[in-house]
């Protein structure tokens, strides 16, 4: 009982400490997605050759909003596979706001962001290059008009508030940011509480031993956890790293492999028998990229 109360106290304190940073981060995301959606879609249509570079930086934005949007655009062949991979690799879901709220991990955060951009650029352009070299026959991409994309984004940002005539009433960005903040705080609290209970009950040494004292085993397992299409996966990996349960390279592998709910959107939007196999191939590729990235990072930054 003492272990539970101590874990509950720590989880509550950690969650409250993250509140201001989380809200500011999501306020920025809400502003960009609601107010700049038309400019964003026009920009994408004019920058296809620079797609992986654009994706690498957009993926760094907290939350998995951009991975979801890019999955939809990829299903419509508005972006290349390399761009999608770059976004997925760069996406850290909820890792950034959580680590921002922990000042002692600022260096790790900056290293993680920098490395994620580098790996996203490398793998994104590599995928596009390989496809251009070996894919002799390609299906023509379906032209997507900017106006159509703008309509899709307006619809997505409406969240069902309509006047019955097809006109959308967008949410207040402050309320939207608050909603996302409270939502992710639940995940943070649950993940922190569960990890705290385990740590208090069995000890961090035992937990580390169970997860795997070998960093390469940690990388393999973290990569699998990262594939879980939910922000709880990124929260769990970051909280485990913060508590000393896994190495930085293992956390990095898991965060590179995962793309939050972007994976779910990919399977929903990219339909068909061939598309299903393609989606499975993309997920498998993401796991391999995550593991490879973790191994490379482990060589110089444990």
């Amino acid at each position: 009982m003492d272990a539970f109360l101590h874990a509950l106290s720590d989880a509550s304190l950690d969650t409250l400490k993250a509140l201001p940073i989380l809200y500011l981060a999501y306020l920025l995301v809400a502003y960009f997605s609601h107010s700049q959606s038309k400019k964003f879609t026009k920009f994408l249509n004019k920058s296809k050759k620079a797609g992986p570079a654009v994706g690498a930086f957009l993926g760094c934005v907290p939350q998995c909003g951009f991975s979801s949007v890019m999955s939809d655009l990829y299903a419509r062949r508005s972006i290349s596979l390399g761009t999608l991979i770059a976004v997925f690799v760069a996406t850290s879901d909820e890792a950034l706001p959580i680590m921002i709220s922990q000042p002692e991990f600022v260096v790790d955060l900056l290293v993680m962001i920098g490395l994620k951009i580098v790996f996203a650029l490398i793998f994104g352009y590599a995928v596009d290059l390989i496809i251009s070299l070996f894919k002799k026959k390609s299906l023509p991409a379906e032209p997507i008009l900017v106006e159509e994309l703008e309509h899709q984004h307006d619809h997505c940002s409406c969240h069902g508030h309509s006047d019955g005539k097809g006109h959308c009433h967008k949410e207040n960005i402050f309320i939207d940011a608050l909603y996302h903040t409270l939502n992710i705080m639940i995940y943070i609290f649950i993940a922190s509480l569960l990890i705290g209970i385990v740590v208090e009950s069995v000890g961090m040494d035992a937990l580390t031993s169970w997860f795997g004292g070998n960093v390469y085993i940690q990388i393999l397992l973290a990569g699998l956890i990262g594939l879980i299409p939910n922000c709880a996966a990124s929260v769990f990996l970051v909280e485990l790293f913060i508590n000393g349960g896994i190495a930085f390279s293992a956390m990095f592998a898991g965060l590179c492999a995962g793309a939050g709910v972007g994976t779910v959107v990919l399977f929903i939007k990219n339909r068909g028998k061939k598309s299903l196999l393609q989606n499975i191939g993309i997920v498998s590729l993401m796991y391999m990229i995550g593991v490879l990235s973790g191994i490379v990072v482990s060589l110089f930054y444990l």
Side-chain angles (χ1 to χ4, degrees):
M1 188 63 181
D2 289 339
F4 174 78
L5 292 176
H6 192 270
L8 180 63
S9 176
D10 287 345
S12 300
L13 181 60
D14 291 341
T15 304
L16 290 175
K17 283 167 56 180
L19 175 60
I21 300 297
L22 282 171
Y23 183 71
L24 290 175
Y26 289 131
L27 186 60
L28 177 62
V29 173
Y31 170 76
F32 191 86
S33 61
H34 283 265
S35 302
Q36 306 296 323
S37 59
K38 293 184 178 181
K39 294 180 181 179
F40 171 63
T41 50
K42 288 180 180 179
F43 175 70
L44 281 178
N45 275 316
K46 295 179 181 179
S47 58
K48 289 185 178 180
K49 291 184 179 180
V54 175
F57 286 96
L58 290 181
C60 291
V61 177
Q63 206 184 9
C64 53
F66 280 114
S67 69
S68 300
V69 172
M70 292 299 196
S71 293
D72 189 4
L73 294 180
Y74 173 73
R76 295 173 177 275
R77 301 301 182 263
S78 294
I79 61 173
S80 67
L81 178 58
T83 300
L84 180 68
I85 295 299
V87 174
F88 278 10
V89 172
T91 297
S92 298
D93 211 344
E94 312 303 339
L96 267 63
I98 294 175
M99 293 185 73
I100 289 175
S101 66
Q102 303 288 335
E104 62 270 31
F105 292 98
V106 170
V107 175
D108 293 312
L109 172 62
L110 295 176
V111 171
M112 183 183 74
I113 294 175
L115 289 176
K116 267 184 160 289
I117 292 175
V118 170
F119 281 109
L121 289 171
I122 292 175
F123 287 113
Y125 277 109
V127 168
D128 276 353
L129 177 61
I130 292 173
I131 290 177
S132 66
L133 291 176
F134 294 98
K135 190 175 181 181
K136 297 180 180 179
K137 294 182 179 181
S138 59
L139 295 175
E142 298 180 9
I144 304 296
L145 299 177
V146 171
E147 290 78 6
E148 182 181 347
L149 286 173
E150 292 173 354
H151 173 72
Q152 292 169 3
H153 278 278
D154 287 342
H155 177 72
C156 289
S157 61
C158 178
H159 299 295
H161 298 289
S162 175
D163 58 5
K165 299 180 181 180
H167 297 103
C168 185
H169 300 297
K170 298 181 181 180
E171 291 184 357
N172 184 293
I173 63 171
F174 296 98
I175 296 177
D176 191 36
L178 180 61
Y179 169 79
H180 286 295
T181 299
L182 295 177
N183 187 45
I184 189 55
M185 282 184 67
I186 294 175
Y187 286 106
I188 294 176
F189 176 76
I190 293 175
S192 300
L193 180 61
L194 291 177
I195 293 175
I197 292 175
V198 173
V199 171
E200 292 291 333
S201 301
V202 302
M204 183 54 69
D205 291 338
L207 176 62
T208 303
S209 177
W210 172 82
F211 201 86
N214 188 303
V215 66
Y216 299 110
I217 294 178
Q218 290 184 4
I219 290 173
L220 293 173
L221 293 176
L224 290 175
I225 294 175
L227 293 179
I228 299 174
N230 190 289
C231 61
S234 61
V235 173
F236 179 78
L237 289 170
V238 173
E239 290 291 342
L240 199 57
F241 166 70
I242 290 176
N243 285 279
I246 59 175
F248 174 88
S249 54
M251 177 192 69
F252 187 80
L255 295 178
C256 282
V261 295
T263 307
V264 176
V265 175
L266 179 65
F267 276 87
I268 293 175
K269 297 292 184 178
N270 199 33
R271 302 176 182 175
K273 186 176 181 180
K274 291 184 178 180
S275 296
L276 177 60
L277 295 176
Q278 185 183 59
N279 296 340
I280 294 175
I282 291 174
V283 172
S284 300
L285 177 61
M286 289 305 303
Y287 178 71
M288 290 187 287
I289 289 176
V291 170
L292 179 59
S293 300
I295 291 175
V296 172
V297 171
S298 70
L299 298 178
F300 62 89
Y301 198 90
L302 289 175

